Every structure is written in structure tokens, then in C-alpha cells.
Amino acid sequence: MIAEVTGIRTIRMLYLQLLYRCNFACQHCFHGERLQHADAFTLEEAIALMRLMHREYGTEAVNLLGGEPFVYKDLPEVVRYAKQELGLHVEICTNGYRIERRLTEIAPYLDLLRISLEGNGATNDAIRKFGSYQGALSALDHARDLGIPTGATMTVNARNIDEVLPLARTLQGYGVQQLKLHHLRPVGNAAHHPELLISDTTVYGRLREQLRAASLSIEVIVDEDLSEEGTPETCDPVTEALAIPRIEADPRGALTMSCKAVGKDAHAFWYDKAAGHIVHRPSATDEIALAVPSVVYARA
């Protein structure tokens, strides 16, 4: 259905939100009140969607996320199927809180563990949860012992922008390969925390200069909308594109290709869980667009 409507033939990675439920309620989380919702993929539905994307769109990688994927009871089965049956590159994005036992169980099938952090120590814990910083570092240590490659994400905001470089240097010490920096959008929980929003976008220019000048061994990837020009009003249209890097499925089955649809109910495509196929349900507010590109500050 996606190919017929858009011309897209290849989608490299499926971002599969297994559930909304989470053991955190971070101040910036775009899910907002949906963290309390019961929507989730069953094991059979998750497997069916991965199989469909692999077969029809040549999807070669899956990123499992939530909510918090490690509270999803069938996580080991999803990971094993993705790796053993489909041969996918398997990533998990997690808060890293008390995941060591389950991480050991899935280690042979996992290609990358990516942990979300919002700064060092107290800065992170104030935004995410008390004790979450040490929990994340413990998970990184355990992953290193298991031989699992690791990455991290950080949502840049007014409270933590000065900690990007210090956090990057901390992560280097734990053998983390890559840090992704994301832009904060005023949706979900962030809509109730305006103090986190950055109004002076010139700070992004200074951040980029600092990254260029830093001698880092970790790769830092910066969203293009972390710029002095601010967030673009629209993303580049998908017209005549034959391949895109990703598509995201939320726990209801809504499919997102647009960088502007995060936290919104504007979805042209849905995965019909009962029927096991993708359907087109356009609305006046839908936009089909590519994700915002990123700038990579390579390892020194």
C-alpha cells in the first residue's frame, strides 16, 4: 500500500514501538498521557509486521522501543525472531533501568543497545527519574561485559545543552560508540514543561562549534533541526523517492514517516493488526515526508 501511494519501494529500518507502558515518566517524553495507555503489539502482531516489512520493503533492521521495551514480556521472543528468522540488524532503545538480567538473556541476538540519557548525574535524574543515571551506567557496563555494542541518545533542551560535551566524554569512558542528539518538540510531557524549550537558537551554533573543536572518540550525530534557523516548518517531501531510511509504528499500529508527526495524530498509513496488512487512511492533516537529516561529527 505504501508503494502504491508514495512510490516508496524500500524502507531500511522499522522503528517498532512495542508498547506505551513505561517505568519512567520523563519530563520531555513525546508520548505524554499515552504512557498510561494499554495499547501494545502482541508477540504475533510484532512478528507479522517485521515479516511484512522485510518481505515487501526490504527492511533490513529493526529498532525496538516503547514506552520501555524491557518491560515488554515477549521481548526475548521478538528479538530472537528478528535475528534468527529474518536476519535483521536488531537495536533496542531503552532507559537502561534495571535491565541486566533480561539483557543477558537476549545478548546473543542484539546488535546495538542504545540508552537514553539527558546529561550527567543530577541533570539526567531531574528530567528522567531519580537513580536513572547510575542505572544507565550500570547497563552500559553490563553490555560491555557481554560484548554488546552500545550507543546513546540525548534530547537537547535548555537544562542540559551545556552537558552535551561532558556527557559525550563520560560515554567515551564506557566504550559507547555513538551519541545521537535530538531536538525537543513541545508535545506530550514537554508541553507541560516550557522551561525545557530553547528560545535562543544561537546556542545550537555554539554547540556545533564546540563539537567540531572537541577531540572526541565517540561519534556524535546532530539532528539538522538543532540549528540557528530553528526547526523547519516542513520536511522534504517524499515525492518520487524510491527508498527512505525508516518508518515508525506506534503501539496502535499508526505508521509515521514524517519528522513533523512525532507526538501528533496525523497518520496516512496504519498497520491493521487484525488483517495483517498496511492500510491507507489519509486525513486533511496528514503529510508524507522524509525524516530531517543529521550532521555527523566523526570520531577524531
Side-chain angles (χ1 to χ4, degrees), residues 173-272:
Y174 283 82
V176 176
Q177 299 176 353
Q178 184 188 82
L179 171 62
K180 283 188 173 181
L181 303 180
H182 297 303
H183 181 266
L184 178 67
R185 303 184 192 284
V187 295
N189 286 350
H192 303 291
H193 290 279
E195 73 277 5
L196 295 179
L197 299 176
I198 292 176
S199 57
D200 179 11
T201 58
T202 62
V203 298
Y204 296 138
R206 291 195 292 272
L207 173 61
R208 289 168 180 269
E209 286 299 324
Q210 291 170 356
L211 290 170
R212 277 190 283 266
S215 297
L216 297 173
S217 60
I218 187 174
E219 180 182 61
V220 181
I221 298 178
V222 184
D223 279 358
E224 190 64 31
D225 51 7
L226 291 172
S227 69
E228 294 189 42
E229 290 73 31
T231 305
E233 288 299 317
T234 60
C235 302
D236 296 332
V238 162
T239 54
E240 301 184 17
L242 297 179
I244 58 173
R246 58 172 280 181
I247 193 169
E248 188 157 347
D250 80 11
R252 302 168 300 170
L255 300 175
T256 301
M257 290 178 281
S258 170
C259 64
K260 299 301 162 195
V262 173
K264 299 179 181 178
D265 266 323
H267 304 283
F269 298 98
W270 290 72
Y271 177 65
D272 187 323

Side-chain angles (χ1 to χ4, degrees), residues 65-80:
L65 58 165
E68 171 48 49
F70 275 89
V71 303
Y72 182 76
K73 67 182 181 64
D74 294 318
L75 181 65
E77 289 76 12
V78 173
V79 171
R80 279 195 289 266

Side-chain angles (χ1 to χ4, degrees), residues 22-94:
C22 188
N23 48 3
F24 285 17
C26 301
Q27 293 180 2
H28 63 295
C29 181
F30 69 87
H31 283 315
E33 65 179 18
R34 286 199 184 128
L35 293 171
Q36 308 303 319
H37 291 191
D39 303 81
F41 278 86
T42 66
L43 172 60
E44 294 75 19
E45 290 165 351
I47 285 174
L49 178 56
M50 291 190 298
R51 191 167 54 228
L52 180 152
M53 296 302 300
H54 180 62
R55 181 183 68 245
E56 297 189 10
Y57 296 96
T59 298
E60 59 190 39
V62 63
N63 189 342
L64 302 171
L65 58 165
E68 171 48 49
F70 275 89
V71 303
Y72 182 76
K73 67 182 181 64
D74 294 318
L75 181 65
E77 289 76 12
V78 173
V79 171
R80 279 195 289 266
Y81 187 89
K83 175 55 64 179
Q84 290 187 316
E85 303 300 324
L86 299 178
L88 300 180
H89 174 95
V90 181
E91 300 183 12
I92 295 180
C93 188
T94 171

